Amino acid sequence: MTCARARLPCSRGKALGRTLALLFSTAAPRMAMAAGPLGPDGSPLHTSQYGIDLTQTPIQAGARVTGLAGAYVAIAEGIDADIQTPVTPAVRAPYSVDHSELELGLGLTLPVAVTTTDFFNTGHQHTQLASADQSGFLFVTPAINLAWGNFGVGVTLELQNYSLLRETIASGARRDEFDAQFLIGHLQAANRFLDGQLVVGGGLRVLELDVTNPNAPEGQTHLATSVGMGVETGVLWAPTDEPYRLGAAFHSAITASANPGGRITPNAAGDRVLGDPSDPVNQFYLPNWIYQPWDLNVGMAVQIGPRPFNERWIDPEGRADVARAAIERRRAERRYRRALLFQRLGAEGGLDEMAERAIDAELDNEQAFDELHVERVERELRQRMKLAYARLPRPYALLSVSLVLTGSLTDAVGIESFLQRVVARSGEKVVYSPRLGIETEVVPGWLKVRGGTYSEPTRFATSTPRLHGTVGFDAKVLPWSAFGLFDEGTEWRITTSLDAAARYLSWGVSVGVWH
């Protein structure tokens, strides 16, 4: 299925594109012309005077985000939302029962999920990576979030690796291969304000391309590096006891320029070329720039039904502080009593080593009982918080919408074009992606289902936007403590998602704690 191309009226669309480009583009200035301009679509890629557009137009995210068609910037819960908005590390759900929390995530895209579809929406029936080693083609997204009360930090890495091969020579021996590794790193920090109703986050986004030759002699494997940096900001408004949230996030543009200190230096024409100049079949022209265009994501989520959406989260550390303060007072009192006892026994001539040990032993026992009391208070508080969350009503319906705008580029090609060494210009205009998702719990306490739709824009003149449909569910399975790493009775879930469109199909499965 293919949707009709969605357009603004021509004059208004061009004006919007120019205005957004002036406001948001932070790309670094270009270097002087080297080997000449990038050719027209379909021409050989025989210049370094171009950049690679790393925009991913299909949604690449966790199962819940995908099931909701990417309409998640106003929900912002869980580690899967880090890529969308930097507020996520500080968003505390009502099931959070600890002052400090750690969350880990790992996303994986295998080659078959890319090469059997038109992954980049270039208009081809399937992604054409004739010069790529499929066994070395991998997307990996590790992530970690740490939260302490109202403050949180997160680190997410988006790693894409391509092992590129050259043709075999007449003798049958294969020429050197090289690996192209694209990395987008997110370092984020966020904090809750106004009793948790307002969450503000920001961070850095680092873009890097590393080109290596794994078959080169030791110490000569690294060929070239391009590095650039940008910023990202986000905000979430979740008024307590209200059924809605508003969210927005902005990522600035990044231009990663070639490092002049690499082993692949420009030739006389200004090009950086891998391969024998007399053998054009096996030459790769490295780009002078790597691009991540700016994007703006705004959205709203509304939840109906008896289940509260913006439940007030109270830091358990604050409640336990009352017991700790009492223990500190008792500790000070014991120090005072010890001093008085020593003073009195000293005056009476009865202070010796045995008496000191007896006094200290009695006071140490009191201290141990106090510490056990604090532990019991914290344990009971944690259990009360878990019980209060379990008693919340289950029925709900969550509706989420968002709109993503992505900026334009000049003299850029897509990853597929780079691998094929054939020009396919990418990102020549501002594009937008409306998204809609809905989620509900059809079997209370056991099964959640979700679905949605989004319009995937195209970055290429050779294709059109396509309409996606997404579905997914959470199913509760048996309780398990995972060999004591989790609380007894911790319930687990299996989460799946499916994303389908014309010339595109992806699916995902994950395992996590049921909430």
Side-chain angles (χ1 to χ4, degrees):
M1 55 183 174
T2 304
C3 71
R5 181 185 292 271
R7 294 180 182 269
L8 292 171
C10 182
S11 59
R12 298 171 66 183
K14 291 181 178 178
L16 174 62
R18 287 194 297 268
T19 302
L20 289 172
L22 285 172
L23 287 174
F24 298 140
S25 181
T26 60
R30 297 285 185 86
M31 295 188 298
M33 294 292 286
L38 186 68
D41 284 353
S43 62
L45 190 51
H46 285 171
T47 179
S48 290
Q49 188 69 19
Y50 73 98
I52 298 178
D53 180 5
L54 290 186
T55 304
Q56 291 183 4
T57 50
I59 293 172
Q60 295 294 298
R64 188 186 184 199
V65 179
T66 301
L68 286 168
Y72 209 73
V73 71
I75 300 175
E77 294 177 353
I79 202 165
D80 292 336
D82 283 9
I83 294 176
Q84 287 209 356
T85 172
V87 307
T88 303
V91 174
R92 304 300 291 263
Y95 53 76
S96 298
V97 295
D98 294 303
H99 172 76
S100 301
E101 288 190 335
L102 166 68
E103 187 175 8
L104 301 173
L106 178 65
L108 180 66
T109 300
L110 298 175
V112 66
V114 178
T115 56
T116 58
T117 67
D118 182 7
F119 182 79
F120 299 105
N121 194 17
T122 60
H124 302 138
Q125 288 304 310
H126 60 84
T127 303
Q128 299 176 7
L129 303 176
S131 59
D133 177 7
Q134 304 306 316
S135 65
F137 181 18
L138 191 65
F139 292 179
V140 181
T141 310
I144 180 172
N145 281 355
L146 294 167
W148 301 271
N150 289 324
F151 180 74
V153 296
V155 177
T156 302
L157 302 178
E158 301 177 74
L159 177 65
Q160 303 178 22
N161 188 81
Y162 304 87
S163 289
L164 305 179
L165 305 178
R166 303 179 194 169
E167 305 292 338
T168 57
I169 57 179
S171 64
R174 196 177 72 185
R175 295 181 182 272
D176 287 341
E177 66 180 275
F178 71 90
D179 289 350
Q181 186 177 94
F182 299 93
L183 175 66
I184 304 172
H186 304 258
L187 177 59
Q188 303 166 331
N191 199 76
R192 303 166 76 246
F193 300 94
L194 302 178
D195 203 18
Q197 298 182 105
L198 176 66
V199 187
V200 178
L204 298 176
R205 191 167 59 149
V206 179
L207 179 62
E208 181 177 0
L209 167 64
D210 281 317
V211 180
T212 61
N213 180 0
N215 294 335
E218 185 176 356
Q220 301 179 26
T221 56
H222 186 267
L223 302 178
T225 298
S226 300
V227 180
M229 184 179 296
V231 299
E232 52 187 46
T233 59
V235 62
L236 179 70
W237 174 243
T240 302
D241 298 329
E242 295 293 337
Y244 67 89
R245 294 180 186 178
L246 302 174
F250 172 71
H251 300 86
S252 73
I254 306 175
T255 297
S257 300
N259 180 1
R263 297 182 62 86
I264 306 300
T265 56
N267 59 21
D271 292 320
R272 298 182 305 135
V273 186
L274 288 173
D276 186 348
S278 65
D279 185 9
V281 174
N282 289 294
Q283 288 183 344
F284 279 91
Y285 285 75
L286 296 180
N288 281 338
W289 310 284
I290 310 297
Y291 295 132
Q292 189 75 36
W294 63 262
D295 68 73
L296 176 66
N297 189 350
V298 295
M300 178 178 184
V302 178
Q303 183 166 293
I304 59 176
R307 187 171 183 82
F309 190 27
N310 299 320
E311 182 80 357
R312 184 186 302 275
W313 183 80
I314 300 176
D315 190 348
E317 187 86 357
R319 297 184 180 184
D321 280 346
V322 176
R324 294 193 190 95
I327 297 305
E328 284 300 319
R329 289 193 297 270
R330 288 171 59 84
R331 182 180 289 112
E333 178 188 348
R334 281 192 294 272
R335 288 195 297 267
Y336 179 69
R337 285 166 48 202
R338 182 178 185 274
L340 285 181
L341 285 171
F342 279 23
Q343 182 180 9
R344 189 185 70 185
L345 290 175
E348 296 174 353
L351 183 63
D352 55 22
E353 184 177 353
M354 183 175 296
E356 289 183 6
R357 285 203 301 266
I359 293 172
D360 287 339
E362 181 179 353
L363 296 178
D364 288 344
N365 284 335
E366 292 183 14
Q367 176 66 26
F369 279 117
D370 284 346
E371 291 174 354
L372 288 174
H373 173 69
V374 172
E375 292 178 5
R376 184 171 62 254
V377 168
E378 292 177 342
R379 184 169 57 252
E380 291 175 353
L381 173 60
R382 196 170 186 272
Q383 288 300 118
R384 288 199 302 270
M385 293 178 68
K386 292 177 66 176
L387 183 60
Y389 173 72
R391 288 174 174 172
L392 292 176
R394 302 296 305 189
Y396 75 95
L398 175 62
L399 178 68
S400 183
V401 296
S402 68
L403 177 67
V404 180
L405 298 172
T406 305
S408 61
L409 299 170
T410 303
D411 289 339
V413 304
I415 291 178
E416 187 174 347
S417 173
F418 165 65
L419 300 180
Q420 290 180 304
R421 295 167 288 176
V422 176
V423 175
R425 290 176 176 268
S426 177
E428 294 188 304
K429 61 181 180 180
V430 175
V431 296
Y432 60 94
S433 173
R435 302 171 176 182
L436 168 67
I438 187 169
E439 176 183 272
T440 187
E441 193 163 322
V442 293
V443 181
W446 285 96
L447 180 65
K448 300 176 184 178
V449 297
R450 58 187 64 95
T453 183
Y454 69 97
S455 175
E456 177 196 357
T458 179
R459 304 287 287 175
F460 305 95
T462 54
S463 65
T464 60
R466 55 186 177 185
L467 187 66
H468 286 243
T470 65
V471 294
F473 67 82
D474 289 357
K476 185 171 73 173
V477 293
L478 297 175
W480 186 35
S481 67
F483 307 108
L485 296 176
F486 292 83
D487 295 337
E488 281 295 329
T490 296
E491 296 174 320
W492 293 82
R493 59 166 170 80
I494 295 176
T495 301
T496 67
S497 65
L498 180 72
D499 182 356
R503 311 180 312 280
Y504 184 86
L505 179 68
S506 71
W507 59 275
V509 178
S510 65
V511 177
V513 175
W514 170 271
H515 296 298

